Amino acid sequence: MASSLTKASTGTPSSEKTFFGHPRGLATLFMTEMWERFSYYGMRALLVLYLVSGGADAATGSQGGGLAMTMATATAIYSVYVAMVYLMAMPGGWFGDRVWGARKTVTIAGFVIMAGHLALALPGQAMFFVGLALVAAGSGLLKANISTMVGHLYDGPDDSRRDGGFTLFYIGINLGAFVAPFVIGTVGEKHNWHLGFALAAVGMGLGLAQFLIGTRHLSAKSDVVPNPLSAEERKSILVKVVGIVAVVAAFYGVVIALGAYTLNWALVPITLAGLIIPVAVLARIKRDKDLSTTEQSKMNGYIWFFVAAAVFWMIYDQGGSTLSLFADGKTADTVFGLGFPATWYQSLNPLFVMALAPVFAWLWLWLSRKNQEPNTIVKFAMGLVLIGASFFVFVVPMNMAGDGTKVSPMWLVSIYMIQTIGELCLSPVGLSVTTKMAPRKYASQMMGVWFLAVTAGDCTTGLLSLAGVDLNGGGIIAMEAALAVVAGFAVYMYRKKVQSMMGDVH
């Protein structure tokens, strides 16, 4: 959808420029998020392929020049990276609420992300990991605050334009994600990895420039720090952070001095933290004595959704690792006689989302009118069964490619489509049920808790890879598929029990 401006037709003076009938500031945030997602998904499309690429291969025409890591290590790094992006959304929201305000936090995040992509554009393993850390941190800062700024544009939850505004914003996300693999992916995979990463930096730079130019159209609320830290709190937090950094630096200094350091010394603690933190956050909320009996019951029900979502994302996010590696090594690289690079498969999900989301919105509304719309629990069960089914389908081309045969790209197209349908069953209702079941005391924090389900799922994948489990083998793929389907049926079978815990939430 083009980001053109139209004259307001309702609710605003005719002389005031709007963005498809919405506040002008939505165009600023739409374009900022579109370019940020362009940079993020473009870089992500290259990530595992760059990690496993070694020397140039004259027979296949591959450029080489990557870090020549094993598939297991590449999958682990990819999983940990994606997990950290979502984990950083919680401290990102905290910075927006307590330190800088949403607008300043997004500005700083844009510079951090751009610096990260520029670091990735420089050769060498050290700069690669510096760049990855910066992009993860910046993405977390931005992700947590830019959606808040969209909400600031409207007159409270009851503004009739609010849902439509978030829908347009969501289109921007998928538009950037769709285009990125064709541009960044093609340049990086076919010409030069580091030039591809540099293009990601350019994309974020364009988004940041557009944000700074259009910032005058944003709500004044976006400059406000809702709950600023007191001087005592600032001092206490600074002491704790310095203490933690000193301990970590001393520990790794000893490990390096002893000559014992390997990549696993960094990956394993981060992966374990990504599993422990979500459990600790849920446990802390559950132990809070300020919660009423009803809120406690809702949290018990929410844990079912959280675990289900973690299982879903564990498989879904392998679309950028396991499926990407399969596309690169075992899938034909032409479609109807035209070249089709492995990175282009990463455009399928956003394409299917843009095509199918309106269909699902219409379908749920049509079923609701007939009083037949599945409730949230059933939709979660459907999402789990579908994501499991996608990996059962994946087993077929994996077996076909066992003798070196290059399989048809349509296998991967089908798998990505099934996964997207599962996403549309689970992800939107997951966001909705999170806001509905959140205890009043934790209303603003629960969205970060939802993102922790992604962290937990991806860290599970990372830990399996680090433990030596071959996630690119047919056996483990079938086991993951079975786990998701069993989890889906379990959620469905216990739907009445879960519904009783949810109380008045449907």
Side-chain angles (χ1 to χ4, degrees):
M1 180 178 292
S3 56
S4 61
L5 295 177
T6 64
K7 296 293 183 182
S9 57
T10 58
T12 57
S14 59
S15 61
E16 181 182 344
K17 287 185 176 181
T18 66
F19 183 66
F20 294 102
H22 291 268
R24 174 65 178 83
L26 184 62
T28 297
L29 299 176
F30 176 99
M31 295 295 290
T32 302
E33 182 71 351
M34 185 190 75
W35 282 114
E36 188 274 330
R37 292 291 88 181
F38 172 86
S39 70
Y40 173 79
Y41 281 100
M43 183 277 282
R44 207 176 80 160
L46 296 177
L47 189 53
V48 293
L49 301 181
Y50 171 69
L51 288 170
V52 301
S53 175
D57 187 338
T60 63
S62 65
Q63 57 158 308
L67 297 183
M69 294 182 178
T70 65
M71 286 186 178
T73 302
T75 300
I77 291 172
Y78 172 87
S79 299
V80 169
Y81 163 68
V82 175
M84 291 304 103
V85 168
Y86 285 91
L87 181 63
M88 291 301 293
M90 284 201 78
W94 181 86
F95 272 98
D97 285 343
R98 308 215 63 189
V99 183
W100 293 322
R103 188 182 315 200
K104 186 175 181 180
T105 304
V106 167
T107 303
I108 292 171
F111 281 108
V112 172
I113 294 169
M114 189 165 59
H117 289 305
L118 289 173
L120 290 169
L122 300 175
Q125 191 172 116
M127 292 309 297
F128 171 81
F129 285 109
V130 168
L132 218 56
L134 288 172
V135 174
S139 298
L141 287 169
L142 187 141
K143 191 175 189 68
N145 290 281
I146 196 164
S147 296
T148 300
M149 296 172 71
V150 174
H152 288 162
L153 297 172
Y154 300 95
D155 297 326
D158 296 328
D159 191 319
S160 60
R161 300 172 300 166
R162 187 182 180 93
D163 287 350
F166 274 98
T167 299
L168 278 173
F169 182 69
Y170 193 59
I171 289 172
I173 292 173
N174 285 283
L175 193 58
F178 170 70
V179 174
F182 293 113
V183 181
I184 295 172
T186 303
V187 171
E189 183 183 3
K190 295 299 181 182
H191 299 285
N192 184 282
W193 299 112
H194 300 291
L195 182 58
F197 293 134
L199 281 177
V202 171
M204 187 65 252
L206 289 171
L208 182 59
Q210 202 278 337
F211 180 77
L212 294 174
I213 292 169
T215 192
R216 66 185 184 278
H217 300 294
L218 302 177
S219 169
K221 296 178 186 176
S222 298
D223 282 325
V224 175
V225 181
N227 184 23
L229 291 171
S230 65
E232 294 77 11
E233 287 175 318
R234 283 179 179 271
K235 182 178 179 181
S236 174
I237 290 170
L238 185 61
V239 169
K240 289 177 182 177
V241 169
V242 170
I244 292 171
V245 170
V247 170
V248 171
F251 173 78
Y252 280 101
V254 172
V255 172
I256 293 170
L258 293 174
Y261 181 80
T262 64
L263 189 57
N264 280 0
W265 277 98
L267 292 178
V268 172
I270 293 173
T271 306
L272 289 174
L275 289 171
I276 293 169
I277 290 172
V279 174
V281 169
L282 284 172
R284 179 174 64 84
I285 296 174
K286 274 287 299 165
R287 289 200 309 267
D288 193 327
K289 295 180 180 179
D290 290 341
L291 268 59
S292 66
T293 302
T294 301
E295 289 176 326
Q296 285 283 1
S297 177
K298 287 181 179 179
M299 282 304 301
N300 288 336
Y302 185 74
I303 290 172
W304 280 77
F305 293 111
F306 185 91
V307 174
V311 173
F312 179 89
W313 297 117
M314 178 185 73
I315 296 176
Y316 179 89
D317 275 343
Q318 288 183 59
S321 55
T322 305
L323 288 176
S324 184
L325 291 169
F326 186 84
D328 183 50
K330 299 181 179 181
T331 305
D333 59 1
T334 58
V335 177
F336 304 119
L338 301 174
F340 198 91
T343 50
W344 287 13
Y345 288 98
Q346 299 306 307
S347 288
L348 290 173
N349 172 252
L351 174 64
F352 289 141
V353 167
M354 289 188 289
L356 296 176
V359 176
F360 270 76
W362 170 85
L363 177 63
W364 298 141
L365 185 60
W366 180 71
L367 289 173
S368 177
R369 288 171 180 165
K370 297 169 67 70
N371 201 30
Q372 294 178 353
E373 182 185 4
N375 64 22
T376 298
I377 305 168
V378 175
K379 288 177 182 177
F380 256 73
M382 290 166 61
L384 283 169
V385 171
L386 284 165
I387 200 72
S390 75
F391 261 29
F392 275 129
V393 173
F394 188 25
V395 171
V396 178
M398 290 193 83
N399 289 332
M400 292 171 62
D403 61 357
T405 301
K406 296 275 188 175
V407 304
S408 167
M410 297 312 295
W411 283 105
L412 288 181
V413 172
S414 300
I415 292 166
Y416 280 113
M417 185 173 70
I418 296 169
Q419 292 190 347
T420 302
I421 295 172
E423 177 192 4
L424 292 171
C425 288
L426 181 142
S427 185
V429 296
L431 292 168
S432 177
V433 80
T434 297
T435 59
K436 291 176 181 177
M437 297 179 69
R440 185 181 298 274
K441 182 177 179 180
Y442 296 97
S444 62
Q445 297 180 42
M446 283 298 287
M447 198 57 71
V449 173
W450 169 251
F451 289 139
L452 288 181
V454 186
T455 299
D458 283 313
C459 281
T460 301
T461 304
L463 199 61
L464 288 172
S465 295
L466 293 171
V469 177
D470 182 13
L471 292 174
N472 301 284
I476 190 64
I477 293 297
M479 287 180 62
E480 289 181 86
L483 171 64
V485 171
V486 169
F489 277 109
V491 170
Y492 182 78
M493 293 299 293
Y494 283 88
R495 64 190 183 282
K496 291 183 180 179
K497 179 179 180 180
V498 177
Q499 185 62 64
S500 67
M501 295 177 186
M502 294 170 68
D504 57 353
V505 176
H506 298 285

